[in-house]
């Protein structure tokens, strides 16, 4: 397991995080199990044949003080799960500068799949300036939203002109 160090390098945290197992791994999923805004990890362990098993494991992310936003996109002319949608989030940093974060809606892989909702870490910020979504349809639909609340769960419908903030139980 590697931790991204400010987009400049990676640090091996396999043993510090308790991720090092000698069992065979057959799938990894990243998702927000406890609805606290960070990604937790579920790993399917064991062999591919009967009798070659081991208990699966859930790694709960203890989190940090960084900002985050979780987006659930619902397509209309695009596919309902918005698979393939491209997202750009522009934030104002604590030092007043701006930076952009990019992601694409996908399941994340073939051996294990992650949640289709977008759980996006924002780092230390003052505010979200803009969220822009390029929907995967033939009309090249683009939705733009200004000043969304960070540390929140948001549903965005392609065919509606607004957002819905959700409350989730932890």
């Amino acid at each position: 397991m590697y931790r991204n160090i400010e987009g400049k390098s990676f640090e091996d945290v396999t043993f510090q995080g308790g991720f090092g197992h000698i069992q065979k791994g057959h799938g990894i999923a990243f998702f927000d199990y406890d609805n606290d805004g960070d990604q937790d990890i579920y790993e399917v362990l064991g062999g591919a044949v009967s009798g070659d098993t081991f208990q699966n494991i859930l790694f709960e992310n203890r989190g940090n003080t960084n900002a985050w936003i979780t987006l659930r996109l619902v397509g209309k002319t695009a596919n309902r799960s918005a698979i393939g949608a491209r997202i750009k989030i522009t934030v104002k940093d604590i030092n007043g500068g701006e930076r952009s974060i990019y992601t694409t809606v996908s399941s994340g892989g073939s051996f294990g799949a992650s949640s289709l909702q977008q759980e996006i870490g924002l780092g230390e910020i003052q505010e979200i300036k803009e969220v822009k979504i390029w929907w995967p349809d033939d009309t090249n639909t683009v939705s733009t939203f200004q000043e969304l609340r960070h540390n929140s769960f948001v549903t965005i419908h392609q065919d509606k002109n607004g957002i819905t903030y959700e409350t989730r139980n932890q």
Side-chain angles (χ1 to χ4, degrees):
M1 176 67 73
Y2 291 91
R3 179 174 50 194
N4 184 332
I5 309 297
E6 299 178 356
K8 298 175 184 170
S9 64
F10 293 93
E11 175 185 12
D12 185 343
V13 295
T14 304
F15 295 104
Q16 296 96 316
F19 299 106
H21 292 275
I22 60 171
Q23 296 80 22
K24 298 177 202 169
H26 286 279
I28 297 286
F30 294 86
F31 68 113
D32 189 1
Y33 170 76
D34 49 3
N35 291 319
D36 62 355
D38 57 37
Q39 289 191 318
D40 305 298
I41 303 169
Y42 187 78
E43 182 178 8
V44 177
L45 296 170
V49 297
S50 181
D52 186 10
T53 62
F54 197 82
Q55 292 178 338
N56 298 338
I57 189 164
L58 172 68
F59 297 97
E60 183 181 359
N61 187 337
R62 295 187 189 122
N64 54 50
T65 59
N66 290 336
W68 55 272
I69 190 166
T70 297
L71 301 176
R72 186 171 71 90
L73 305 184
V74 181
K76 180 68 173 176
T77 57
N79 62 82
R80 182 155 176 85
S81 298
I83 295 170
R86 294 174 295 132
I87 302 168
K88 176 184 175 185
I89 300 176
T90 304
V91 297
K92 183 177 180 181
D93 279 326
I94 56 172
N95 62 7
E98 285 189 6
R99 64 184 168 83
S100 296
I101 301 161
Y102 299 87
T103 190
T104 301
V105 178
S106 76
S107 66
S110 58
F111 284 98
S114 299
S115 170
L116 292 175
Q117 71 181 9
Q118 299 303 292
E119 298 144 357
I120 303 166
L122 303 174
E124 295 179 340
I125 65 167
Q126 292 181 32
E127 65 180 337
I128 297 173
K129 302 281 286 182
E130 180 180 80
V131 173
K132 196 171 223 178
I133 302 164
W134 289 266
W135 296 91
D137 62 11
D138 294 334
T139 63
N140 297 316
T141 306
V142 178
S143 299
T144 304
F145 302 92
Q146 306 292 319
E147 300 176 354
L148 272 66
R149 293 192 313 243
H150 59 279
N151 299 344
S152 61
F153 299 93
V154 180
T155 298
I156 300 174
H157 289 262
Q158 181 184 13
D159 62 338
K160 297 181 180 166
N161 222 1
I163 59 169
T164 304
Y165 287 97
E166 300 176 24
T167 303
R168 299 195 182 170
N169 295 327
Q170 290 188 7

